[in-house]
Amino acid sequence: MSKKSELKNQIRDCELEIESLEQKRMRSQSALLRAVLSNTQPDPTEVEFFRVFSDLIDQQRERLAELNKELRGK
């Protein structure tokens, strides 16, 4: 397999992973928003899930940017 097609596959996989992580984060995000709207303390577990998924999404976006940069350089 050529390097270019390998990079395209990695980019596609990275984009799919970002979508998956964003869907998982959405559950925690809605729980946090519910707590804010009802003026209650959010569940610490939901806060931690939101932080973890947000960090993972940021890491995948950085990786995606690097892969796109490498692809353009080819």
Side-chain angles (χ1 to χ4, degrees), residues 15-72:
E15 289 170 341
L16 291 173
E17 180 67 17
I18 290 170
E19 285 180 36
S20 173
L21 290 168
E22 286 175 338
Q23 288 176 354
K24 292 174 184 176
R25 180 179 69 175
M26 209 176 317
R27 179 186 171 278
S28 294
Q29 187 174 11
S30 63
L32 295 174
L33 182 58
R34 189 176 337 116
V36 167
L37 292 174
S38 64
N39 255 354
T40 60
Q41 217 32 337
D43 181 352
T45 305
E46 295 297 343
V47 173
E48 186 60 26
F49 277 134
F50 183 82
R51 286 183 181 148
V52 168
F53 285 126
S54 294
D55 288 343
L56 291 171
I57 290 167
D58 290 343
Q59 291 170 12
Q60 286 296 318
R61 286 184 179 152
E62 288 174 15
R63 181 171 177 258
L64 180 61
E66 291 171 11
L67 290 170
N68 278 314
K69 184 178 176 181
E70 187 175 347
L71 181 63
R72 284 190 303 269

